[in-house]
């Protein structure tokens, strides 16, 4: 199975900060990498798919980049509603698809 | 609008089985695979497997092979996930989520989650 490693596991940031989360795959997955946001008690929400395509309705302050094994999710200016846990997920072939362990973004 | 509505919370004793349902609406049911993802308390997301609503074929994560069964009912646009031989480690929120079913795919809609508690 492909292992996904996110860093950091948690971070503290202030409103307005630029935040970057990284995700590394244990082998090349081309651009088959997605990012989700999850708030407590809620289902995950798709933010970015195909490494860099923004899901419809998602704020443009979110952006994704990378290919192969190294990927990043950037929040350009952190807003109060962005405090949540973020997960990367690979959808390369073959199955199983796997998630990173998550990055919790907390208020500084 | 696309909706995935799951059945309610369940409590089971160790060794028992549980069956969770997920009713889809707002799209062509047979056009999207349905997956199940679970999340233990305070933990991350774990992919369990998927079912193809068109023919009913399934793919399961190896750690659940022999213990999980995913089925679908096209007449009601509902998928089911049954997990047997439950232990306390199966206590989790179980989500259904759909994908188009290709490499580079993604989960664009999710159910609200079903809490399964395993306790003696």
């Amino acid at each position: 199975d492909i292992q996904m490693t996110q860093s950091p596991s948690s971070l503290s940031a202030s409103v307005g900060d630029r935040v970057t989360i990284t995700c590394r795959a244990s082998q090349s997955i081309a651009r088959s990498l997605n990012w989700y946001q999850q708030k407590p008690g809620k289902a995950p929400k798709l933010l970015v798919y195909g490494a860099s395509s923004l899901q419809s309705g998602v704020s443009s302050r979110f952006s994704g980049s990378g290919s192969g094994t190294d990927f990043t999710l950037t929040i350009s200016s952190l807003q109060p509603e962005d405090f949540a846990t973020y997960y990367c997920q690979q959808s390369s072939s073959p199955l199983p698809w796997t998630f990173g362990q998550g990055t919790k973004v907390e208020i500084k | 609008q696309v909706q995935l509505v799951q059945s309610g919370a369940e409590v089971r004793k160790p060794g028992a089985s549980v069956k969770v349902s997920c009713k889809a609406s707002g799209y062509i049911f047979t056009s999207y695979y349905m997956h199940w993802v679970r999340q233990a308390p305070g933990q991350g997301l774990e992919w369990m497997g998927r079912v193809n609503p068109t023919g009913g074929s399934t793919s399961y994560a190896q750690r659940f092979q022999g213990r999980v069964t995913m089925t679908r009912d096209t007449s009601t646009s509902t998928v089911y996930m049954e997990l047997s031989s439950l232990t306390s480690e199966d206590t989790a929120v179980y989500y259904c989520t759909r994908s188009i079913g290709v490499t580079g795919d993604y989960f664009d809609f999710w159910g609200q989650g079903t809490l399964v508690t395993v306790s003696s």
Side-chain angles (χ1 to χ4, degrees):
Chain A
D1 299 356
I2 297 174
Q3 305 304 314
M4 306 301 293
T5 304
Q6 286 182 235
S7 62
S9 296
S10 64
L11 65 89
S12 296
S14 301
V15 172
D17 283 354
R18 182 181 182 89
V19 169
T20 298
I21 300 168
T22 66
C23 180
R24 175 164 289 176
S26 59
Q27 64 189 70
S28 178
I29 57 171
R31 295 179 62 81
S32 298
L33 191 284
N34 310 309
W35 291 97
Y36 301 86
Q37 175 194 67
Q38 187 179 34
K39 296 182 179 180
K42 299 294 186 182
K45 172 187 174 183
L46 176 67
L47 298 176
V48 171
Y49 63 92
S52 61
S53 296
L54 197 65
Q55 172 67 346
S56 176
V58 172
S59 171
S60 59
R61 64 180 179 273
F62 292 95
S63 63
S65 64
S67 65
T69 60
D70 294 314
F71 302 86
T72 61
L73 175 71
T74 300
I75 310 172
S76 60
S77 177
L78 198 64
Q79 297 301 300
E81 60 267 31
D82 301 336
F83 293 96
T85 300
Y86 294 83
Y87 294 93
C88 63
Q89 175 248 331
Q90 65 83 15
S91 57
S92 182
S93 182
L95 295 170
W97 293 347
T98 48
F99 291 88
Q101 81 278 17
T103 296
K104 187 173 184 178
V105 176
E106 299 176 299
I107 302 173
K108 196 174 208 178
Chain B
Q1 71 284 19
V2 174
Q3 283 193 301
L4 302 176
V5 179
Q6 299 182 224
S7 50
E10 304 272 12
V11 179
R12 293 288 185 272
K13 293 190 183 302
S17 298
V18 69
K19 192 171 186 177
V20 180
S21 68
C22 170
K23 183 173 176 60
S25 62
Y27 70 97
I28 299 172
F29 179 66
T30 51
S31 293
Y32 289 79
Y33 282 72
M34 199 70 81
H35 304 247
W36 290 89
V37 173
R38 78 176 187 179
Q39 186 170 38
Q43 302 302 307
L45 302 166
E46 179 176 31
W47 182 83
M48 299 179 67
R50 73 177 188 187
V51 58
N52 182 345
T54 298
S57 62
T58 54
S59 295
Y60 302 136
Q62 189 166 10
R63 64 172 293 181
F64 298 106
Q65 286 276 2
R67 210 161 63 90
V68 70
T69 304
M70 297 178 187
T71 56
R72 94 288 186 226
D73 181 345
T74 55
S75 67
T76 60
S77 299
T78 302
V79 296
Y80 300 91
M81 187 282 299
E82 184 169 23
L83 190 62
S84 62
S85 303
L86 293 169
T87 72
S88 58
E89 295 187 349
D90 294 314
T91 293
V93 176
Y94 290 77
Y95 294 101
C96 60
T97 179
R98 73 169 198 175
S99 80
I100 198 72
V102 298
T103 298
D105 205 350
Y106 47 86
F107 303 129
D108 61 351
F109 284 91
W110 296 66
Q112 83 275 19
T114 297
L115 175 62
V116 174
T117 302
V118 183
S119 173
S120 55

